[in-house]
Amino acid sequence: MSDLRDPAPYDALLLLSFGGPEGPDDVVPFLANVTRGRGIPEERLKEVGKHYFLFGGVSPINGQNRALLDALRKDFSEHGLDLPVYWGNRNWAPYLTDTLREMVTDGHRRIAVLATSAYASYSGCRQYRENLAESLAALEAEGLPVPRVDKLRHYFNHPGFVEPMVEGVLSSLADLPDDVRTGAHLAFTTHSIPLSAADTSGPAEAHGDGGAYVAEHLDVARLIVDAVRERTGVAYPWQLVYQSRSGAPHIPWLEPDICDHLESLHGEGVPAVVMAPIGFVSDHMEVLYDLDTEATAKAAELGLPVRRSATVGADLRFAAAVRDLVLERAATEQGRPPQRCALGTLGASHDLCPVGCCPARAPKPAAAGADSPYA
């Protein structure tokens, strides 16, 4: 990691996340924000929101972002990085536009942005960039200064993101009964997305056959498997599987689903499974319900021992990785050669999303890319 502590030209960091309800009365309005423009009736939103109501209408994501904020601020302070950290969400308070307005009022004009999504995809990258463009347009319409925003690169293969997941898998394996541990399989999970979105994820040259989205997850899974083998002496079988599918059933999405995968493994006589949610930064609702509740119930029904490994969350190594990403991008903007930390075969991701990267079904302006209207 870089020993330099100069974040210039950046004068603030924005933690940009999805958002989530913090009480029963928030659930339907939150889901209305998420699905805005799709014409979904309120009764359907209430049905979709049943996962949240099972947990008192509270998503853990906002609390987890607060913990990450604290970790980032502590790490920055301890390492002499003078950079204030703000937090804004796409779909719930604190809303992105409100946070950017606050940042501009506080005098910030060059903002680095960390999205709580580590991989390339429309919903995990470009949609955040579209939200940034919408918010910047709102500030412009209000007559406020429009700051320059730069989204930090994808960090799926940064050692500060990978190593906590390695330890999570090792801990879960150690927690399995002795008589099933060495025969366990590893199921690396991520959010399923439509095949059309997967195939067009990442730069144009990466399109096809699952695009960058699948390739990046596979690279991380291999990194974890290799590290686990080195530390245990066991080459655990593994597969990348998917969860949290939504949308019309006739549209093809990435498969297999985690519950279907557990059934298949049980049918093959596999004695135990570790579910590793490598596609998620923290233990938010899709991890809490789809894995800890639904998939775990399926495993219990099958009589299949399972463990779910931890996400990165507010791990101090991840906070250090964010500091590293800020300083890396700052070095590039200063015209100095950056120190780019990346494991695996794919190397460090691009700083600036090129034209045609993770295209939307209906093109919209997107900030922090080569096609940004806000240079």
Side-chain angles (χ1 to χ4, degrees), residues 68-367:
L68 180 55
L69 275 175
D70 289 343
L72 291 172
R73 289 166 176 161
K74 183 174 185 291
D75 178 89
F76 287 9
S77 175
E78 290 179 349
H79 291 85
L81 185 62
D82 184 16
L83 200 69
V85 186
Y86 293 74
W87 167 39
N89 291 323
R90 287 169 47 183
N91 299 300
W92 202 247
Y95 288 102
L96 173 58
T97 301
D98 295 337
T99 299
L100 282 173
R101 186 184 298 110
E102 177 187 3
M103 296 177 82
V104 167
T105 301
D106 289 346
H108 301 298
R109 299 293 182 268
R110 191 71 185 272
I111 299 167
V113 180
L114 176 80
T116 54
S117 176
Y119 300 86
S121 71
Y122 171 74
S123 58
C125 183
R126 185 175 176 89
Q127 194 169 15
Y128 281 101
R129 294 176 49 225
E130 291 176 355
N131 296 141
L132 284 165
E134 291 170 1
S135 293
L136 294 175
L139 296 186
E140 188 174 36
E142 295 172 13
L144 294 172
V146 177
R148 164 79 177 267
V149 295
D150 290 337
K151 182 178 176 292
L152 299 176
R153 68 172 171 91
H154 302 304
Y155 46 84
F156 63 93
N157 57 2
H158 193 289
F161 186 68
V162 174
E163 181 58 29
M165 293 191 292
V166 171
E167 290 192 1
V169 170
L170 289 169
S171 178
S172 292
L173 285 167
D175 193 47
L176 284 170
D178 293 344
D179 59 337
V180 299
R181 184 179 304 120
T182 56
H185 279 228
L186 308 181
F188 296 102
T189 76
T190 190
H191 206 302
S192 184
I193 61 175
L195 289 182
S196 58
D199 288 344
T200 57
S201 58
E205 60 269 21
H207 290 179
D209 196 25
Y213 186 74
V214 171
E216 290 170 359
H217 282 87
L218 287 173
D219 211 40
V220 171
R222 293 186 190 103
L223 285 167
I224 296 173
V225 168
D226 289 347
V228 168
R229 184 181 64 249
E230 289 174 5
R231 300 182 201 186
T232 65
V234 180
Y236 287 97
W238 64 276
Q239 186 169 337
L240 177 64
V241 300
Y242 303 93
Q243 63 174 90
S244 312
R245 178 192 166 129
S246 60
H250 68 279
I251 298 175
W253 285 50
L254 291 169
E255 296 178 336
D257 176 78
I258 177 61
C259 289
D260 295 337
H261 184 59
L262 293 176
E263 285 192 351
S264 296
L265 292 179
H266 178 256
E268 296 167 9
V270 170
V273 177
V274 168
M275 302 181 294
I278 62 172
F280 306 93
V281 172
S282 65
D283 289 3
H284 53 56
M285 184 57 71
E286 286 166 322
V287 175
L288 194 65
Y289 181 81
D290 296 338
L291 294 184
D292 293 355
T293 304
E294 191 173 51
T296 300
K298 170 57 72 174
E301 174 190 317
L302 297 168
L304 178 65
V306 295
R307 298 293 185 272
R308 197 269 292 172
S309 66
T311 53
V312 173
D315 189 284
L316 297 180
R317 288 163 295 188
F318 182 45
V322 175
R323 166 170 41 90
D324 190 45
L325 292 169
V326 170
L327 293 172
E328 171 195 297
R329 185 64 182 273
T332 299
E333 297 299 314
Q334 294 166 14
R336 296 188 290 105
Q339 299 178 24
R340 297 170 67 82
C341 294
L343 303 173
T345 63
L346 298 179
S349 182
H350 50 263
D351 282 332
L352 196 67
C353 291
V355 176
C357 193
C358 304
R361 291 184 297 274
K364 297 172 64 177

